[in-house]
Amino acid sequence: MKRIAVMTSGGDSPGMNPAVRSITRAGLHKGLEIFGIRSGYQGLVDGDLIPLDSHSVSGRIRDAGTFLQTSRCPEFVKPEVQLRALKVLEQHRIDGLVVIGGDGSLKGARALHSYGLPVIGLPGTIDNDLFGTDMGIGVDTALNTIISLVDMIRATAASHRRCFVVEVMGRGSGYLGLMTTISTGSQVAVIPEFRMNIDSIVEVLDSRSNANHNASVIIVAEGVCQGAEFMQRLTENGKVKQEVRLTVLGHVQRGGTPTHYDRLLASRMGEMAVLALISGEKGSMVATVNGKMQLRDFDEILDRRKALPGDAIRLARNIGIEIGDVVES
Ligand code: ADP
């Protein structure tokens, strides 16, 4: 293992830059040459590689986004496109690859690994929907961004005695929605893992209004429906007495300055990826399980649905959050 490449792919997440920095610095320390692939799989197929030195990643621990840039490259599912990517890596004499991204990106990484290329993946996603790791890189920052924004919304909601519906990200997962409902002191979580019960939600709002609570906040995960659609369903029968307003948090959720947790997680995972490649490991994702770093085979973690933490569901119920009914699987 003399020369390795690193790329970021799929949706950006705060912590991708600290991960690239750690891979570069740890790799250089171990005597490797490091290349950065720009714009994800598209850049790989196009041969857009740049050498990285210690200076290239200077200061990157503080930046959200990804300075290597990212893209979506739907063509990459095709074997002939994957073979083109392998040719590019061969031309640049790349011996090992680190892919930082979500579920889709790691499927691309598994495809490259299946041709014999040593590949290690890092979970770079704010959604925390990757099976096999307790946390993804960027999740903690996204959670903190959401709670600071919802705290601000709550101030105006309380001043006007309004109910706010807040749409948060998460793709098919309710992780961000559930966790931030708990940590913002919101009353209702509408998440894909549970079936919402509009009557119960109206009851919650009603009883709070009767008890002279100033404000209520409902967190709606994008994986259920758009916030506007939920608003429509909530208000269509005219039972909600309070004024209801909608805020869609949108892409600001990706842009927060990486938190201490994410900087450390990304640094540790990046270092582990380099050490893994040097020691001959391949075809796996670096995961954190109960606070410890682990390598988990792509086949063990991909194509599996990650469940929400059971203790968080219990906590939400026990402190009176309305989360709807269990969806039978
Ligand atoms: P994320 O990595 O955040 O889940 P995507 O699902 O958009 O984001 O995947 C990012 C990229 O990974 C895709 O644009 C594509 O290039 C590649 N990819 C996704 N799924 C596969 C797959 N099944 N096989 C090979 N490559 C894939």
Side-chain angles (χ1 to χ4, degrees):
M1 190 69 48
K2 290 202 177 87
R3 188 179 276 190
I4 65 170
V6 54
M7 62 186 275
T8 54
S9 168
D12 64 303
S13 78
M16 283 181 160
N17 280 327
V20 173
R21 173 182 178 274
S22 172
I23 289 160
T24 304
R25 295 257 163 106
L28 292 170
H29 182 74
K30 292 288 180 186
L32 301 178
E33 288 177 278
I34 317 293
F35 276 73
I37 299 164
R38 287 203 283 223
S39 303
Y41 289 115
Q42 191 60 57
L44 174 56
V45 174
D46 296 342
D48 193 358
L49 278 73
I50 49 166
L52 296 178
D53 60 19
S54 193
H55 185 69
S56 331
V57 292
S58 178
R60 294 298 181 189
I61 201 157
R62 290 181 285 274
D63 298 340
T66 161
F67 81 97
L68 285 178
Q69 303 192 310
T70 180
S71 69
R72 292 207 154 90
C73 172
E75 292 250 283
F76 203 73
V77 294
K78 297 182 188 159
E80 65 267 27
V81 181
Q82 295 163 4
L83 288 170
R84 228 187 300 156
L86 287 168
K87 190 102 199 129
V88 168
L89 291 170
E90 204 180 293
Q91 280 162 355
H92 285 81
R93 290 181 285 112
I94 302 294
D95 306 311
L97 175 68
V98 184
V99 176
I100 310 167
D103 181 66
S105 303
L106 297 190
K107 284 182 180 153
R110 176 171 63 179
L112 291 174
H113 160 71
S114 71
Y115 297 99
L117 179 77
V119 187
I120 295 288
L122 297 193
T125 168
I126 63 165
D127 304 326
N128 215 20
D129 58 353
L130 269 167
F131 184 90
T133 184
D134 293 343
M135 289 291 272
I137 295 169
V139 176
D140 185 66
T141 306
L143 290 169
N144 279 287
T145 302
I146 294 170
I147 67 171
S148 62
L149 294 168
V150 174
D151 285 351
M152 291 179 206
I153 289 166
R154 183 169 282 282
T156 174
S159 308
H160 292 268
R161 292 187 154 233
R162 281 177 181 147
C163 167
F164 264 81
V165 172
V166 180
E167 183 194 309
V168 301
M169 283 184 166
R171 292 219 285 195
S173 164
Y175 185 87
L176 293 178
L178 176 65
M179 293 307 187
T180 56
T181 303
I182 296 169
S183 57
T184 56
S186 298
Q187 285 67 48
V188 180
V190 180
I191 51 178
E193 293 82 356
F194 289 81
R195 193 182 303 108
M196 75 172 111
N197 184 331
I198 289 284
D199 290 340
S200 306
I201 296 173
V202 172
E203 247 174 60
V204 169
L205 298 181
D206 232 22
S207 72
R208 286 178 61 78
S209 177
N210 293 339
N212 272 333
H213 281 293
N214 283 333
S216 300
V217 176
I218 301 173
I219 305 283
V220 177
E222 67 177 355
V224 176
C225 64
Q226 289 191 340
E229 194 186 323
F230 172 79
M231 283 271 290
Q232 165 112 31
R233 289 185 62 183
L234 181 68
T235 53
E236 65 193 354
N237 61 11
K239 282 192 190 153
V240 179
K241 297 190 198 97
Q242 273 171 303
E243 194 182 348
V244 187
R245 293 291 177 99
L246 169 67
T247 299
V248 179
L249 296 187
H251 285 85
V252 292
Q253 291 164 91
R254 294 191 182 281
T257 303
T259 57
H260 164 78
Y261 181 91
D262 273 330
R263 294 180 195 201
L264 194 63
L265 183 71
S267 300
R268 292 174 74 196
M269 286 185 160
E271 180 211 29
M272 178 128 178
V274 170
L275 298 179
L277 283 174
I278 290 171
S279 65
E281 296 281 355
K282 50 194 165 184
S284 50
M285 178 186 81
V286 181
T288 175
V289 180
N290 297 328
K292 295 238 164 27
M293 293 291 141
Q294 279 185 10
L295 287 172
R296 305 199 68 171
D297 279 1
F298 286 146
D299 286 335
E300 191 195 341
I301 53 139
L302 294 174
D303 310 309
R304 293 184 69 176
R305 189 168 168 78
K306 182 175 184 169
L308 291 175
D311 57 346
I313 295 168
R314 192 194 59 219
L315 170 63
R317 288 207 193 285
N318 281 339
I319 59 176
I321 291 172
E322 166 62 36
I323 58 173
D325 310 317
V326 177
V327 178
E328 303 295 338
S329 55

